[in-house]
Amino acid sequence: MYSLVVILPLISAIIVGGKGRSLGEKGSAILSTTLLVFTWIIAIVLFLEIQLENSCLDLPLWVWFDLGFLYNPLGFYFDEITVSMLVVVSSISTLVHLYSTSYMAGDPHLPRFMSYLSLFTFFMLVLVTSTNLVQLFIGWEGVGLCSYLLINFWFTRIQANKAAIKAMVVNRVGDVGLILAMILTWSYFGSLEFSVIFSSLNHLPINTDIYFWLCFCLLIGAVGKSAQLGLHTWLPDAMEGPTPVSALIHAATMVTAGVFLVIRMSPLFELSEQGLLLTALIGSLTAFFAATIGLAQNDVKKVIAYSTCSQLGYMILICGLSHYNTGLFHLFNHAFFKALLFLSAGSIIHALLDEQDMRRMGALQKITPFSALSILIGSLSLMGLPFLTGFYSKDLILELAKDKQIWMFAFWLGLSAAVLTAYYSFRLIFWTFLQYPTVSRQTWQKAHEGNWNLWTPLLILLITSLSIGYLFQSTILKDLPSPMITTSIKWLPTILSLTGALAALTIYHFFKKTWFFTQTSLYQIIYSFLNAAWQFNLVFNHFLVKPIWSIGLNITYNQIDRQLLEKQGPEGLYQVLTKTASNSSWYQAGWLMNYLLIFLVFVTLYSYLW
């Protein structure tokens, strides 16, 4: 029965993808959403059985291949980490399926869209329930494929094509890191199964160099998938996909795969001090770096996208400080309030006829009050204000970082990111709701809240963004020692977040037009620099993409294709290849005597050489 938690989304993807035209839009929407609801129910049952009773469940299926020392079974493994991820993936996916039935209504390719969503859910569940690195890699590549398909769902749009290709190419860098980690793991441990790897750590001699390179390669994979500094450029561009895609893949689930990888392989990271230091450094820099970019973005989805980068940085940061359960807890909480932000932003975009520039919005609380409330609650939870979901994990991360006196850089960068997060969150709220309307009269008159299947997911996510952090803090944060900090330090993140929010409201409400600093060249340079995301795309294009294109044009095409191959023509290389192929066909003539003769010749040579 429990294996159905993985299989049901696959059934949904196959049926809706194969029979979508027969089922129609409504039939496809109802079937896929219903199967995802059953997936969510099974995930909740597993969570209650595994997490609350502190047990594990191993469901072996079959042996995929058994080649000498390379033994790889397939199966499902459920422990506390897995079931927490199951709740996140199944909950958000179910709500996004329901939301999409309204948001994508009228799209002639709705069945294909629902099929892609279900297929993504299947691969994500394969990833988190894997028993070994090979099975994890299957899910890892599967969610990358589905990301490409969903970003490029509106494939007639050039920007969607570019964004999908960019996401695929940049993630290949992280995939290479994970493949190298798998090769190193098998060569050192002789197995790719998690149980064998972790049990071997107590018996093998400690080799700090091997452990560091293992952690380094794993971290490259996490940096690519979780959009950390250096390989983050694909995530903002991925906002070209439909908003439900942004909520499901690029906010709540797929981008957390890298964090999950670090948490799953935490016993290896604990054996490398340098690996942990590098992890904490990358996470803290990403949290601060992405928060600075969010200050100058005007696309409402990109603001939220960069906040996702920043929050993922917090998760990687705290894993580098060896508090993996806190990283998992923030992953758990973040999924709900970030999905709320994306889906409520999608509700506003939908109401304004696909307008995404928040400078062209304003006063939307008058026509979309529930969506406005949802964005407000999501933003407050993102800021980590007390008694909201984000507070219970985000502030805990900063407290634990402060407790690590030797790595104070993590605390100060995380604290700075918290201030900037509050600033750009209320900047978004001001432009969207508090300023006067800047949309056209025609759009304003047509704008309205969505149907029940659009606002119901928002209501559920709003409730969870208020309560789920409090409800599950004692469940996920088991045996966590209390950080030794003073009361003033404990409330410092909250005070600074409120200061950042108040600064944003003050500047944009009272000094938006008269603030002299905005007219200076220094401000314009800083704003342009941040708006262009620190010019990372320019640097990559200039130093990586253009040289590779130049090599492909001047060497591969001009020298090899046009000179070496084309000049040989049919009288040269082509003729040699044709004759060689013709002569070699004798060996495949279908005569048994020929095959026996070839077999005996090679056996004789092998025996002689051996």
Side-chain angles (χ1 to χ4, degrees):
M1 171 188 169
Y2 289 146
S3 60
L4 290 176
V5 74
V6 180
I7 297 172
L8 285 179
L10 178 61
I11 295 174
S12 171
I14 293 173
I15 295 177
V16 175
K19 297 293 183 180
R21 291 189 177 182
S22 302
L23 293 171
E25 292 184 20
K26 288 187 177 180
S28 300
I30 293 172
L31 177 63
S32 59
T33 305
T34 302
L35 290 176
L36 264 294
V37 169
F38 283 116
T39 301
W40 173 76
I41 293 172
I42 299 172
I44 294 298
V45 173
L46 274 167
F47 181 84
L48 294 175
E49 181 174 335
I50 304 297
Q51 183 77 44
L52 299 183
E53 296 185 11
N54 196 21
S55 60
C56 297
L57 177 62
D58 192 1
L59 295 177
L61 297 178
W62 62 81
V63 176
W64 185 14
F65 51 82
D66 187 358
L67 304 173
F69 292 107
L70 186 55
Y71 172 76
N72 192 83
L74 291 180
F76 302 132
Y77 180 69
F78 303 98
D79 62 356
E80 296 179 359
I81 301 173
T82 299
V83 294
S84 298
M85 293 295 297
L86 285 180
V87 172
V88 169
V89 176
S90 61
S91 300
I92 303 302
S93 183
T94 302
L95 294 173
V96 169
H97 273 73
L98 179 60
Y99 180 92
S100 300
T101 60
S102 174
Y103 190 90
M104 301 295 291
D107 193 302
H109 302 289
L110 177 63
R112 177 165 61 91
F113 184 76
M114 303 301 288
S115 175
Y116 288 167
L117 290 180
S118 298
L119 185 63
F120 164 79
T121 306
F122 163 72
F123 279 121
M124 191 67 196
L125 293 174
V126 168
L127 191 156
V128 301
T129 58
S130 57
T131 61
N132 53 71
L133 282 170
V134 176
Q135 188 174 334
L136 182 146
F137 188 72
I138 294 171
W140 186 277
E141 290 298 297
V143 294
L145 169 65
C146 293
S147 174
Y148 171 83
L149 295 173
L150 286 165
I151 295 170
N152 200 28
F153 177 74
W154 289 321
F155 53 83
T156 56
R157 297 172 56 184
I158 298 298
Q159 291 303 319
N161 301 158
K162 292 180 179 179
I165 293 172
K166 185 176 183 179
M168 183 67 77
V169 171
V170 173
N171 272 277
R172 292 290 74 76
V173 180
D175 296 346
V176 170
L178 181 54
I179 291 173
L180 292 175
M182 292 169 62
I183 295 172
L184 284 174
T185 301
W186 186 72
S187 63
Y188 186 71
F189 294 99
S191 176
L192 294 171
E193 295 184 72
F194 296 133
S195 58
V196 176
I197 295 170
F198 300 152
S199 61
S200 301
L201 294 176
N202 297 325
H203 306 289
L204 292 174
I206 297 178
N207 189 328
T208 55
D209 291 336
I210 288 291
Y211 291 148
F212 169 75
W213 287 112
L214 272 172
C215 294
F216 180 76
C217 293
L218 290 169
L219 189 58
I220 291 176
V223 166
K225 194 67 75 177
S226 291
Q228 296 297 285
L229 182 62
L231 297 178
H232 67 281
T233 54
W234 67 271
L235 184 60
D237 290 356
M239 298 302 107
E240 289 295 332
T243 301
V245 175
S246 304
L248 177 63
I249 295 183
H250 308 115
T253 51
M254 191 195 88
V255 289
T256 61
V259 181
F260 172 80
L261 178 66
V262 174
I263 295 173
R264 174 59 76 197
M265 302 300 290
S266 57
L268 284 177
F269 280 85
E270 284 302 297
L271 296 175
S272 175
E273 188 73 19
Q274 294 87 353
L276 288 174
L277 178 62
L278 184 61
T279 304
L281 180 62
I282 290 176
S284 56
L285 287 174
T286 303
F288 174 76
F289 157 80
T292 60
I293 299 176
L295 297 174
Q297 300 302 308
N298 298 313
D299 186 321
V300 64
K301 288 174 65 175
K302 285 194 175 183
V303 174
I304 304 175
Y306 279 110
S307 76
T308 300
C309 286
S310 184
Q311 297 304 306
L312 291 168
Y314 278 111
M315 299 174 204
I316 296 291
L317 155 65
I318 199 61
C319 288
L321 301 183
S322 299
H323 292 290
Y324 304 98
N325 52 351
T326 306
L328 179 64
F329 186 41
H330 192 52
L331 186 158
F332 189 89
N333 292 343
H334 171 262
F336 292 95
F337 65 74
K338 187 52 62 68
L340 174 64
L341 275 172
F342 262 115
L343 294 185
S344 53
S347 176
I348 291 173
I349 294 169
H350 193 61
L352 296 180
L353 306 179
D354 298 329
E355 177 59 66
Q356 294 185 197
D357 192 331
M358 60 187 183
R359 296 170 300 179
R360 299 176 183 173
M361 297 180 181
L364 292 181
Q365 76 279 4
K366 298 180 180 179
I367 52 176
T368 56
F370 184 69
S371 298
L373 177 63
S374 299
I375 285 188
L376 177 62
I377 296 299
S379 298
L380 293 177
S381 187
L382 172 66
M383 290 167 52
L385 289 192
F387 313 116
L388 276 76
T389 290
F391 169 77
Y392 295 98
S393 54
K394 182 178 177 180
D395 276 34
L396 180 60
I397 289 174
L398 294 175
E399 292 172 16
L400 293 171
K402 180 65 171 67
D403 207 31
K404 294 276 187 177
Q405 296 293 332
I406 59 173
W407 289 348
M408 286 299 292
F409 69 88
F411 172 73
W412 290 111
L413 286 174
L415 201 62
S416 302
V419 179
L420 299 177
T421 298
Y423 185 91
Y424 67 68
S425 294
F426 268 80
R427 175 176 177 266
L428 184 150
I429 290 172
F430 173 82
W431 284 112
T432 311
F433 305 116
L434 300 183
Q435 72 157 346
Y436 55 85
T438 54
V439 298
S440 65
R441 180 185 297 272
Q442 185 180 11
T443 303
W444 180 270
Q445 291 173 344
K446 292 182 179 180
H448 59 84
E449 292 281 12
N451 300 326
W452 70 269
N453 46 345
L454 190 139
W455 60 259
T456 300
L458 298 184
L459 177 61
I460 296 172
L461 290 169
L462 191 151
I463 294 172
T464 55
S465 297
L466 290 171
S467 60
I468 204 166
Y470 173 76
L471 294 175
F472 287 92
Q473 58 176 332
S474 59
T475 303
I476 298 180
L477 298 176
K478 294 179 179 179
D479 304 323
L480 180 69
S482 300
M484 304 298 293
I485 61 173
T486 61
T487 303
S488 59
I489 295 295
K490 181 178 180 62
W491 290 103
L492 183 59
T494 301
I495 295 171
L496 291 178
S497 294
L498 291 173
T499 303
L502 182 62
L505 290 177
T506 303
I507 290 172
Y508 283 94
H509 183 69
F510 294 106
F511 304 108
K512 182 180 63 172
K513 293 183 179 180
T514 59
W515 197 24
F516 72 94
F517 187 66
T518 59
Q519 308 302 320
T520 62
S521 58
L522 177 62
Y523 172 84
Q524 294 171 3
I525 291 172
I526 295 174
Y527 180 86
S528 300
F529 180 70
L530 296 180
N531 183 261
W534 287 37
Q535 299 293 352
F536 262 85
N537 286 313
L538 179 65
V539 172
F540 285 162
N541 288 336
H542 183 73
F543 291 103
L544 289 178
V545 177
K546 287 186 178 180
I548 292 173
W549 277 357
S550 178
I551 292 172
L553 175 64
N554 297 325
I555 298 178
T556 305
Y557 177 67
N558 286 336
Q559 300 298 325
I560 298 178
D561 288 351
R562 298 187 62 184
Q563 299 294 325
L564 180 62
L565 298 181
E566 290 185 6
K567 281 195 173 182
Q568 291 296 328
E571 297 180 358
L573 182 62
Y574 178 76
Q575 189 175 9
V576 173
L577 292 175
T578 302
K579 287 183 178 180
T580 304
S582 178
N583 293 333
S584 65
S585 65
W586 179 84
Y587 300 102
Q588 299 293 331
W591 296 341
L592 181 61
M593 294 301 296
N594 289 354
Y595 298 153
L596 288 175
L597 177 61
I598 295 170
F599 176 75
L600 289 174
V601 168
F602 279 98
V603 167
T604 303
L605 289 173
Y606 177 79
S607 301
Y608 176 77
L609 295 174
W610 184 260

